[in-house]
Amino acid sequence: MDNKSLSHTKWKCQYHIVFIPKYRKKQLYGQIKVDVREIISTLCKYKDVEIIAGAVCEDHAHLSVAIPPKISISSFMGYLKGKSTLMIYDRRPELQSKWNKAFWARGYYVETIGNITEDAVRKYINEQAEESRKEDARSTAF
C-alpha cells in the first residue's frame, strides 16, 4: 500500500485488530456473519478507513486496516463497536436481551503493522478464516 496523504500529511498507519463478541459467544455464523462483515465495511467507509484484509470468524473478528492519523485507534474502535452493535440489533433484534445491551466485549487487541509485512498479516487472517470455515463445516455436519 502506498503512503496516503491528507492536506499537509503523508501517512501509512496500519493496524491489525482482533475483537470478540461479549463472553466470546460463538454467534458469528451464517447470515449474522454476512451482516457483520457488511456493517464493518460500511462503517469503515464512513470514516475513510481502508480495510486491507479481514475475517469474521465464529467467535472473533480480525481486521487489517489503514486508519488516517487524525483518528485515534481507541476512538475508531469505540465508534466501530458501538455503531455496529446498534446496526446488528436493528437487523437482528432477537440477539439483544433486555439486560445486556452490549454485543461486543469491552476490549480488543491491536498491533501496528510495521515489524511484519502486510503479507504476513494477510496470510494469518486468511488462515484464521479458513480455520473458521472448517469449524463451521464440522458444526453443521451430523
Side-chain angles (χ1 to χ4, degrees):
M1 181 178 101
D2 293 334
N3 290 342
K4 306 239 183 222
S5 63
L6 298 169
S7 60
H8 300 285
T9 308
K10 289 274 194 195
W11 61 275
K12 184 178 179 179
C13 302
Q14 294 178 263
Y15 302 92
H16 173 216
I17 304 167
V18 182
F19 52 105
I20 62 172
K22 188 95 171 175
Y23 309 119
R24 198 154 181 150
K25 291 181 181 174
K26 294 180 187 266
Q27 56 188 8
L28 301 175
Y29 56 86
Q31 186 59 42
I32 186 71
K33 181 185 271 193
V34 174
D35 290 346
V36 168
R37 187 179 305 126
E38 184 180 301
I39 288 167
I40 288 172
S41 178
T42 300
L43 292 173
C44 286
K45 284 179 189 161
Y46 289 162
K47 291 287 188 179
D48 294 323
V49 171
E50 179 189 354
I51 298 175
I52 298 163
V56 177
C57 301
E58 195 173 83
D59 63 349
H60 63 285
H62 284 271
L63 286 177
S64 174
V65 291
I67 300 176
K70 63 184 178 179
I71 304 172
S72 73
I73 185 69
S74 62
S75 66
F76 172 71
M77 287 306 295
Y79 160 80
L80 183 68
K81 289 167 59 176
K83 293 295 184 190
S84 66
T85 295
L86 297 174
M87 294 171 79
I88 289 166
Y89 289 158
D90 278 348
R91 292 183 186 195
R92 305 258 174 212
E94 71 277 6
L95 293 175
Q96 182 178 7
S97 74
K98 67 180 185 180
W99 296 284
N100 181 6
K101 301 291 184 203
F103 181 81
W104 301 109
R106 288 178 63 192
Y108 56 91
Y109 169 79
V110 63
E111 69 180 336
T112 56
I113 299 174
N115 295 339
I116 58 173
T117 65
E118 288 176 39
D119 292 333
V121 172
R122 189 174 287 125
K123 181 179 179 233
Y124 174 73
I125 290 172
N126 289 337
E127 287 171 358
Q128 288 288 308
E130 185 60 35
E131 186 177 313
S132 180
R133 276 188 224 104
K134 289 177 185 174
E135 286 177 10
D136 285 349
R138 277 182 283 197
S139 65
T140 57
F142 288 91

